[in-house]
Amino acid sequence: MKFKYKFTTAIYVLFALMYLLGAVCLVWNIIRLIDGVNSSVVVDSYLIIRTVLCIALPIVLSIFITAMIISSYYTVGDKKLTVKFGFIGDKYSIDDVTGIIKNVKTDVLSLIFKDESTLKIVIDKGLFDDFSAELMKKNKNISYGETDETEKKK
């Protein structure tokens, strides 16, 4: 089952600002390209490479942002937990998960692995129980607990 990554409002605002900045840069560089073609300035290979990169980078930025928004999720498979964040992905063995801790005070769900490392799950808090049930269905040895302690800063 697939569980969508939950971005905060601040992150969506940051994404919107990055889209805006990318659009401004793209328009600015296209104007510079048109002015450069219409002027009597000698066009060399350095100018061409620089202009192509200045036009391509805002497009690449928009592609990465769109990939993060569309393709950020957790998938619970038969043996693997897949964490996907845009183009970046990671897989964890469900057999390595020993516990699930739900912090009801801070609305954080954490997985605990055999090596005592943790992974915070960033999904809608209404899906915490569904996510936990899905994982525990795949691995019957996972312990589940709830806490109301505030997290300690390291």
Side-chain angles (χ1 to χ4, degrees), residues 24-64:
V24 168
C25 288
L26 182 64
V27 169
W28 174 260
N29 287 309
I30 289 174
I31 290 171
R32 282 185 41 208
L33 176 65
I34 292 169
D35 286 345
V37 169
N38 291 335
S39 71
S40 60
V41 176
V42 177
V43 177
D44 59 348
S45 60
Y46 173 72
L47 179 65
I48 293 170
I49 292 170
R50 185 181 70 188
T51 306
V52 167
L53 283 176
C54 287
I55 291 173
L57 285 177
I59 295 169
V60 170
L61 174 70
S62 297
I63 291 170
F64 274 98

Side-chain angles (χ1 to χ4, degrees), residues 36-95:
V37 169
N38 291 335
S39 71
S40 60
V41 176
V42 177
V43 177
D44 59 348
S45 60
Y46 173 72
L47 179 65
I48 293 170
I49 292 170
R50 185 181 70 188
T51 306
V52 167
L53 283 176
C54 287
I55 291 173
L57 285 177
I59 295 169
V60 170
L61 174 70
S62 297
I63 291 170
F64 274 98
I65 294 169
T66 304
M68 280 191 289
I69 292 171
I70 293 173
S71 184
S72 294
Y73 55 85
Y74 301 90
T75 304
V76 179
D78 287 334
K79 295 285 182 190
K80 297 283 184 187
L81 169 67
T82 304
V83 179
K84 193 89 160 113
F85 191 71
F87 293 117
I88 301 168
D90 206 358
K91 292 186 179 190
Y92 300 92
S93 174
I94 294 176
D95 293 335

